[in-house]
Amino acid sequence: MEYYNINAKRFFDGTFQVNMEKLYQPFLNRIPEGGLIIDAGCGSGRDALAFSEKGYEVQAFDSSEVLVEMAQEKTGLKIECSTFVDFYTEPASVDGLWACASLIHTGFDELGSTMTHLMHFLKPEGIVYCSFKYGTEDTDVDGRHFTNMNESRIDRVAAETNVSIRHLWITEDQRPDRKGEKWLNVLLMKKS
């Protein structure tokens, strides 16, 4: 998280205004009106704010203290400073888990156990959205580890956890300076 604490303003400025509406809809279509969403690794708070403005109840967290402060100030939402594995809320109470470009920093070997921990908070048949840079190998850039994902790798993760893959699709990065960068978007459903 040192990278995000040091580069928080640049990251915040580069992500907060990005229009994510097309990515929201496949996820929100499966969340009941006013349902509870966890924004896991919320970064700038962009998505937590969008969900809140649409009438959903939102719990958001990020492990970067600086980003948490900036996101709280910009969104007016309460955002917790926590890692994925330290986060806790009422078990089986959450309708949806949103992890947009946040699980990418979890090592591939830890991804199954991390997701299992987060799934504990979902209601039966709760829905998860997660996204990863599209690729077959992990990479390290600017001191950050990236777990890249393709169809066969996400199949392996799903097999380790109590989830079924509901929908996979590939998109281009929405940031203007990242044209050509591909993302694997995944909707997972908790098995009852």
Side-chain angles (χ1 to χ4, degrees), residues 18 45 99 107 111 166-167 170 186:
V18 176
L111 201 50
R166 297 314 238 189
H167 186 47
I170 298 170
V186 187

Side-chain angles (χ1 to χ4, degrees), residues 162-185:
N162 192 30
V163 297
S164 60
I165 297 173
R166 297 314 238 189
H167 186 47
L168 291 171
W169 71 106
I170 298 170
T171 56
E172 278 200 31
D173 199 302
Q174 299 300 301
R175 296 169 288 183
D177 62 332
R178 302 286 180 96
K179 290 295 180 201
E181 196 168 294
K182 303 282 188 204
W183 288 82
L184 181 69
N185 302 273

Side-chain angles (χ1 to χ4, degrees), residues 91-112:
S93 65
V94 177
D95 296 293
L97 174 71
W98 178 264
C100 182
S102 57
L103 288 166
I104 58 175
H105 298 306
T106 302
F108 186 77
D109 292 340
E110 291 87 40
L111 201 50

Side-chain angles (χ1 to χ4, degrees), residues 57-74:
E57 185 181 347
V58 179
Q59 285 183 271
F61 71 90
D62 198 277
S63 61
S64 165
E65 294 174 7
V66 178
L67 277 175
V68 166
E69 288 175 17
M70 293 176 78
Q72 285 186 139
E73 184 176 316
K74 182 72 172 182

Side-chain angles (χ1 to χ4, degrees), residues 64-136:
S64 165
E65 294 174 7
V66 178
L67 277 175
V68 166
E69 288 175 17
M70 293 176 78
Q72 285 186 139
E73 184 176 316
K74 182 72 172 182
T75 66
L77 300 173
K78 181 183 182 296
I79 297 172
E80 182 179 339
C81 188
S82 179
T83 65
F84 293 120
V85 295
D86 291 332
F87 177 78
Y88 184 84
T89 193
E90 187 69 30
S93 65
V94 177
D95 296 293
L97 174 71
W98 178 264
C100 182
S102 57
L103 288 166
I104 58 175
H105 298 306
T106 302
F108 186 77
D109 292 340
E110 291 87 40
L111 201 50
S113 61
T114 299
M115 289 182 68
T116 297
H117 168 74
L118 294 171
M119 295 290 186
H120 180 68
F121 308 118
L122 285 178
K123 292 177 179 176
E125 298 186 3
I127 197 80
V128 176
Y129 167 84
C130 51
S131 59
F132 300 86
K133 290 183 181 203
Y134 192 80
T136 58

Side-chain angles (χ1 to χ4, degrees), residues 33-61:
E33 188 175 320
L36 175 58
I37 298 171
I38 294 175
D39 187 350
C42 68
S44 65
R46 171 198 64 213
D47 304 331
L49 179 61
F51 299 148
S52 179
E53 288 176 343
K54 293 176 184 297
Y56 296 95
E57 185 181 347
V58 179
Q59 285 183 271
F61 71 90

